[in-house]
Amino acid sequence: MTSIDAARDLLRAFPVVDGHNDLPWALRKVGYDLDARDIATAQNAHLHTDIPRLREGGVGAQYWSVYVRSDLPDAVPATLEQIDCVRQLLARYPADLAPALTAADMEAARGQGRIASLMGAEGGHSIGCSLGTLRGLYELGVRYMTLTHNDNNPWADSATDEPNVGGLSAFGREVVREMNRLGMLVDLSHVAATTMRDALDASSAPVIFSHSSARAVCDHPRNIPDDVLERLPGNGGVAMVTFVPKFVLQAAVDWTAAADENLRAHGFHHLDTGEEAMKLHRAFEERTPRPVATVSTVADHLDHMREVAGVDHLGIGGDYDGTAFTPDGLDDVSGYPNLIAELLERGWSKADLAKVTWQNSVRVLGAAEDVARDLRATRAPSNATIESLDG
């Protein structure tokens, strides 16, 4: 049996739980026109994600990101639109996508041969500094929240912004505690290292990194420092390696900085993947060839993360449809078997890979549920405001 055949065989038993996919944001760009972007069929020209390729990739559970940009003046209603998009997808494709709120739901979907579909809010700006809104998102099905996106919010520092509160403010710590009480996973992708450490101090439940890699392998502030990885065994959390080239390949970090500046110089946001912005990207790439990440590049991060955090604390978060570029061999959601095959060739055992693909991510959600069950018996919902704690 070849390594790719062995990978596909493993994924039939223990499919991938992917921590982060931005399909809802990609659909927002076309007004949520699900006829124009029918994911029942492969649409390579438009998306990284559709049901045939999810099946080919061995995906058994997907956290759909209900992301909105942090500079939007209407972040809360825009987040609700994203949630509605996921719900429309679930209603449209019930044979393939199964609504999931709990670890038990994930296991049930696996038994049914459907893809467990969960939601994660990307950025604390999505709650508008309101714990009531946080609880509302939970009731609507959101099961993790990334504490920041690329910009600081009033209570937490981002990895890619200038330090403001020094990590988490008092209200930020209250957000973490309320997420613990609800059973919503605290996601530390995108946050500053100081915020990571403060959140680990404040959280009584396991945390996740829904799409982050190792800073020791690629020195980008979006990645996880070793001292934080070392704390995951004590916390019980999971770091889900991402595939984004500018976070996994050092040469791509430097190239991306120059490409982003080129976009900004022409009046575009550096995350813009619209047609005109991509024309500028392509022209820049013709002048300055883009360094190419590979499956091996991503595997290097997992090797390091296993050494520091241990295999019980690793997962996968590709960030498909949230990035303009992908590594060779991980071009879209059909590519996961290539990564598993690479790890098999490096000597990773099937038992360890089952943890990385499925078991760790299911366990961490179940552990958050257990913590929440205990906390709800002893702690009332918090009515704290940012003014009362930080003002």
Side-chain angles (χ1 to χ4, degrees):
M1 180 182 291
T2 66
S3 57
I4 193 69
D5 288 337
R8 295 188 187 282
D9 186 60
L10 184 146
L11 290 171
R12 279 189 282 272
F14 298 101
V16 168
V17 179
D18 183 273
H20 195 87
N21 184 299
D22 276 302
L23 176 63
W25 182 255
L27 294 173
R28 186 179 193 268
K29 295 174 182 177
V30 294
Y32 302 113
D33 186 341
L34 302 188
D35 290 323
R37 296 288 185 269
D38 183 6
I39 64 167
T41 59
Q43 300 196 40
N44 295 317
H46 302 295
L47 300 170
H48 294 142
T49 308
D50 52 55
I51 290 169
R53 285 181 286 173
L54 287 167
R55 294 296 196 183
E56 185 181 351
V59 177
Q62 180 66 69
Y63 279 94
W64 302 107
S65 176
V66 290
Y67 156 78
V68 299
R69 277 172 41 173
S70 54
D71 59 354
L72 286 180
D74 55 352
V76 174
T79 302
L80 297 180
E81 289 179 359
Q82 290 275 280
I83 292 170
D84 180 69
C85 174
V86 174
R87 289 186 161 192
Q88 288 188 55
L89 290 171
L90 297 179
R92 189 177 176 110
Y93 306 107
D96 295 289
L97 304 180
L101 300 174
T102 66
D105 290 342
M106 296 171 76
E107 291 288 8
R110 181 172 67 138
Q112 297 162 358
R114 295 197 289 167
I115 299 165
S117 292
L118 306 100
M119 288 184 281
E122 189 175 19
H125 59 284
S126 292
I127 65 169
C129 294
S130 165
L131 296 179
T133 300
L134 175 71
R135 290 189 286 272
L137 294 188
Y138 180 83
E139 291 301 323
L140 290 172
V142 173
R143 286 303 177 265
Y144 76 65
M145 184 174 73
T146 321
L147 298 186
T148 73
H149 191 244
N150 287 338
D151 303 316
N152 298 337
N153 60 51
W155 46 268
D157 284 351
S158 168
T160 48
D161 203 347
E162 294 299 317
N164 180 33
V165 298
L168 284 177
S169 72
F171 183 75
R173 292 189 291 273
E174 189 71 1
V175 171
V176 168
R177 287 189 287 265
E178 188 64 9
M179 291 174 72
N180 290 167
R181 194 193 66 83
L182 290 169
M184 184 185 290
L185 290 164
V186 176
D187 177 21
L188 301 181
S189 287
H190 279 287
V191 307
T194 50
T195 307
M196 298 175 194
R197 297 175 189 119
D198 282 355
L200 283 164
D201 291 341
S203 183
S204 55
V207 304
I208 64 166
F209 292 82
S210 66
H211 57 309
S212 294
S213 296
R215 192 174 299 187
V217 179
C218 180
D219 188 15
H220 191 287
R222 271 282 282 105
N223 288 333
I224 314 167
D226 277 2
D227 72 285
V228 175
L229 286 170
E230 288 168 356
R231 294 185 62 177
L232 285 183
N235 168 265
V238 171
M240 308 176 89
V241 69
T242 194
F243 301 166
V244 180
K246 65 183 179 182
F247 302 149
V248 297
L249 182 66
Q250 192 62 51
V253 173
D254 303 331
W255 182 90
T256 300
D260 288 350
E261 182 55 37
N262 179 60
L263 276 179
R264 285 190 288 265
H266 287 84
F268 291 94
H269 189 278
H270 70 278
L271 294 179
D272 198 328
T273 56
E275 184 176 349
E276 292 303 315
M278 291 309 296
K279 283 182 181 177
L280 278 171
H281 254 309
R282 287 190 287 271
F284 179 86
E285 188 172 358
E286 286 179 8
R287 298 192 303 272
T288 310
R290 174 174 57 91
V292 178
T294 65
V295 174
S296 181
T297 309
V298 176
D300 288 344
H301 283 265
L302 280 167
D303 278 343
H304 180 81
M305 293 161 77
R306 179 177 65 166
E307 181 179 342
V308 178
V311 73
D312 293 322
H313 304 284
L314 303 184
I316 296 172
D319 202 10
Y320 285 115
D321 284 305
T323 179
F325 304 111
T326 56
D328 278 2
L330 296 169
D331 305 89
D332 55 46
V333 295
S334 68
Y336 300 100
N338 295 330
L339 177 59
I340 302 308
E342 172 72 18
L343 295 172
L344 284 168
E345 290 174 2
R346 293 183 180 211
W348 287 54
S349 71
K350 292 182 178 180
D352 283 352
L353 289 170
K355 293 179 179 181
V356 173
T357 57
W358 181 263
Q359 294 169 337
N360 291 343
S361 296
V362 175
R363 171 187 57 77
V364 78
L365 181 58
E369 294 167 22
D370 292 342
V371 170
R373 192 175 301 112
D374 292 340
L375 289 177
R376 288 190 188 207
T378 59
R379 184 185 301 169
S382 174
N383 291 312
T385 65
I386 192 166
E387 291 82 11
S388 66
L389 292 181
D390 293 341

